[in-house]
């Protein structure tokens, strides 16, 4: 299983395949997990979610950009998506990877881009989440977050439970809206837990620490055991439902998403879209081997 995961993680980082995928369109079953390649497509998907009592956090896909031209184009796409959220009146926020808007080009250039995005979102009271990427970009992401929050309280980020440092990071983020996840990148044993059991245990530990705090928390998981334990903990500790939400990825466990919303829990679906879908799709295959069957069916159908 570990070999399969490593294989798809390696594919996700292949620049040649990433470039080629932009010309293919949604292939290999990716259309089940990516809400189209343009803004009109994603707005349609978000409206459908909203009709079921589910909000969305939109990811205009793209990462590991190495030129100012690409980063500027990505920034403009994100600004256009923010305008579309306002124009269509949908219940949605934005999730943004800083490497997409220039973090690997120049720190100050990236900070300038995300400031422009944060201001545009603040004008419409739209929340911006800085997606956490691999460990190499973690500290820079937090540095940018702290710089932004001096001006923009509508910005938060993600904490990954498989990293040893995450509990300590929470201490510095007690007033910040966060998404908690298990973690989707392959990291070395020096910085991250490796076994599923250890990761699950730390994930639940971090969730409970946050729920007993004061800031809003998004709990991002498809694991029904984790979800059931959170529901038990919330009830046992009289934690108001407006202090947290559950999150899942677009195209995954859709019935459970609707059931949780129907039960009265705040629920948000992470909705990715765009031409730069390849790396995201490969990481989803790495996370859940069951998704490989979906990909194979997509290939065979072509």
């Amino acid at each position: 299983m570990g070999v399969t995961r490593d294989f798809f993680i390696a594919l996700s980082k292949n620049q040649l395949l990433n470039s080629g995928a932009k010309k293919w369109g949604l292939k290999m079953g990716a259309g089940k997990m990516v809400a189209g390649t343009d803004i009109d497509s994603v707005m349609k998907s978000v409206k459908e979610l909203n009709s079921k009592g589910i909000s969305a956090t939109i990811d205009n896909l793209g990462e590991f950009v190495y030129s100012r031209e690409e980063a500027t184009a990505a920034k403009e796409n994100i600004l256009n998506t923010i305008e579309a959220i306002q124009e269509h009146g949908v219940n949605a926020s934005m999730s943004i990877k800083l490497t997409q808007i220039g973090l690997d080009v120049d720190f100050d250039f990236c900070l300038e881009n995300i400031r422009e995005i944060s201001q545009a979102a603040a004008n419409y009271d739209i929340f911006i989440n800085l997606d956490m990427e691999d460990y190499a970009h973690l500290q820079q992401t937090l540095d940018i977050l702290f710089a932004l929050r001096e001006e923009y309280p509508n910005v938060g980020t993600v904490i990954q439970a498989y990293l040893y440092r995450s509990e300590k990071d929470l201490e510095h983020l007690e007033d910040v809206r966060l998404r908690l996840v298990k973690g989707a990148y392959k990291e070395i044993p020096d910085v991250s837990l490796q076994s599923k059991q250890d990761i699950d245990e730390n994930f639940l530990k971090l969730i409970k620490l946050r729920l007993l705090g004061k800031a809003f928390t998004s709990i991002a998981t498809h694991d029904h055991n984790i979800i059931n334990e959170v529901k038990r903990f919330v009830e046992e500790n009289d934690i108001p439902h407006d202090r947290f939400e559950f999150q899942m990825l677009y195209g995954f466990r859709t019935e459970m998403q609707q059931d949780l919303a129907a039960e009265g829990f705040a629920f948000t679906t992470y909705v990715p879209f765009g031409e730069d879908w390849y790396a995201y799709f490969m990481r989803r295959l790495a996370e859940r081997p069951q998704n490989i069957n979906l990909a194979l069916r997509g290939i065979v159908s072509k």
Side-chain angles (χ1 to χ4, degrees), residues 40-52:
D40 286 342
S41 297
V42 76
M43 287 298 119
K44 181 179 178 182
S45 297
V46 171
K47 286 177 182 178
E48 185 175 347
L49 289 167
N50 287 173
S51 72
K52 295 170 178 149

Side-chain angles (χ1 to χ4, degrees), residues 5-66:
R5 183 176 188 274
D6 293 351
F7 173 70
F8 282 105
I9 289 290
L11 287 179
S12 76
K13 297 179 179 179
N14 187 296
Q15 293 299 314
L16 181 62
L17 293 175
N18 265 289
S19 297
K22 294 178 183 178
K23 304 171 185 176
W24 303 340
L26 292 173
K27 303 284 187 182
M28 301 182 291
K32 300 290 185 182
M33 306 178 198
V34 177
T37 57
D38 57 31
I39 290 176
D40 286 342
S41 297
V42 76
M43 287 298 119
K44 181 179 178 182
S45 297
V46 171
K47 286 177 182 178
E48 185 175 347
L49 289 167
N50 287 173
S51 72
K52 295 170 178 149
I54 296 172
S55 65
T57 183
I58 301 172
D59 178 7
N60 187 356
L61 289 168
E63 56 195 290
F64 304 119
V65 166
Y66 299 103

Side-chain angles (χ1 to χ4, degrees), residues 133-177:
E133 303 181 65
D134 60 355
Y135 189 80
H137 296 92
L138 188 157
Q139 189 57 52
Q140 287 179 305
T141 300
L142 291 179
D143 291 344
I144 285 178
L145 172 72
F146 291 130
L148 286 174
R149 284 186 58 84
E150 293 178 6
E151 305 172 70
Y152 304 108
N154 62 314
V155 180
T157 192
V158 180
I159 290 295
Q160 301 174 104
Y162 66 174
L163 298 178
Y164 293 124
R165 62 174 282 177
S166 290
E167 184 174 352
K168 192 71 176 175
D169 285 334
L170 286 186
E171 295 177 12
H172 304 290
L173 297 164
E174 61 180 1
D175 297 323
V176 180
R177 176 173 172 172

Side-chain angles (χ1 to χ4, degrees), residues 57 93-97 127-132 154-158 177-179 218:
T57 183
S93 60
M94 289 293 299
S95 288
I96 297 166
K97 288 181 173 59
F127 177 67
I128 296 291
N129 202 83
L130 306 183
D131 275 357
M132 193 58 73
N154 62 314
V155 180
T157 192
V158 180
R177 176 173 172 172
L178 296 177
R179 177 194 303 144
S218 300

Side-chain angles (χ1 to χ4, degrees), residues 6 24 39 68 83 94 98 103 117 130 132 179 189 241 257 269 271 283:
D6 293 351
W24 303 340
I39 290 176
R68 287 177 178 264
E83 288 294 330
M94 289 293 299
L98 292 177
L103 187 56
I117 290 166
L130 306 183
M132 193 58 73
R179 177 194 303 144
H241 285 199
Q257 294 191 26
T269 298
V271 182
R283 285 201 301 276

Side-chain angles (χ1 to χ4, degrees), residues 53-266:
I54 296 172
S55 65
T57 183
I58 301 172
D59 178 7
N60 187 356
L61 289 168
E63 56 195 290
F64 304 119
V65 166
Y66 299 103
S67 76
R68 287 177 178 264
E69 293 75 19
E70 282 185 284
T72 300
K75 178 194 70 176
E76 293 301 324
N77 286 337
I78 292 166
L79 290 172
N80 289 338
T81 307
I82 289 171
E83 288 294 330
I85 290 172
Q86 173 68 12
E87 290 171 8
H88 287 264
V90 293
N91 182 3
S93 60
M94 289 293 299
S95 288
I96 297 166
K97 288 181 173 59
L98 292 177
T99 59
Q100 185 187 26
I101 55 171
L103 187 56
D104 286 331
V105 178
D106 178 79
F107 182 91
D108 290 335
F109 169 67
C110 178
L111 181 56
E112 180 183 333
N113 284 337
I114 192 61
R115 273 201 173 111
E116 185 177 347
I117 290 166
S118 299
Q119 181 61 63
N123 291 340
Y124 301 132
D125 195 26
I126 293 171
F127 177 67
I128 296 291
N129 202 83
L130 306 183
D131 275 357
M132 193 58 73
E133 303 181 65
D134 60 355
Y135 189 80
H137 296 92
L138 188 157
Q139 189 57 52
Q140 287 179 305
T141 300
L142 291 179
D143 291 344
I144 285 178
L145 172 72
F146 291 130
L148 286 174
R149 284 186 58 84
E150 293 178 6
E151 305 172 70
Y152 304 108
N154 62 314
V155 180
T157 192
V158 180
I159 290 295
Q160 301 174 104
Y162 66 174
L163 298 178
Y164 293 124
R165 62 174 282 177
S166 290
E167 184 174 352
K168 192 71 176 175
D169 285 334
L170 286 186
E171 295 177 12
H172 304 290
L173 297 164
E174 61 180 1
D175 297 323
V176 180
R177 176 173 172 172
L178 296 177
R179 177 194 303 144
L180 298 184
V181 302
K182 292 184 183 182
Y185 296 83
K186 180 173 174 57
E187 304 293 356
I188 61 174
D190 289 353
V191 302
S192 70
L193 299 164
Q194 300 294 307
S195 78
K196 181 181 184 303
Q197 181 178 344
D198 288 343
I199 294 169
D200 285 357
E201 288 176 358
N202 202 48
F203 189 37
L204 272 172
K205 179 182 180 181
L206 299 185
I207 290 169
K208 291 174 181 179
L209 283 171
R210 281 288 295 189
L211 290 176
L212 293 173
K214 54 186 178 181
F216 188 85
T217 302
S218 300
I219 301 164
T221 182
H222 306 107
D223 187 332
H224 60 275
N225 293 316
I226 298 284
I227 290 168
N228 288 336
E229 175 61 16
V230 169
K231 290 162 75 172
R232 184 201 65 77
F233 183 79
V234 164
E235 183 175 356
E236 188 178 272
N237 290 276
D238 295 320
I239 294 168
H241 285 199
D242 62 2
R243 285 270 315 287
F244 71 97
E245 67 179 7
F246 290 111
Q247 284 193 11
M248 290 185 192
L249 299 172
Y250 179 80
F252 290 79
R253 308 201 77 164
T254 52
E255 287 187 12
M256 183 182 289
Q257 294 191 26
Q258 294 171 25
D259 288 346
L260 285 166
E263 288 175 38
F265 292 102

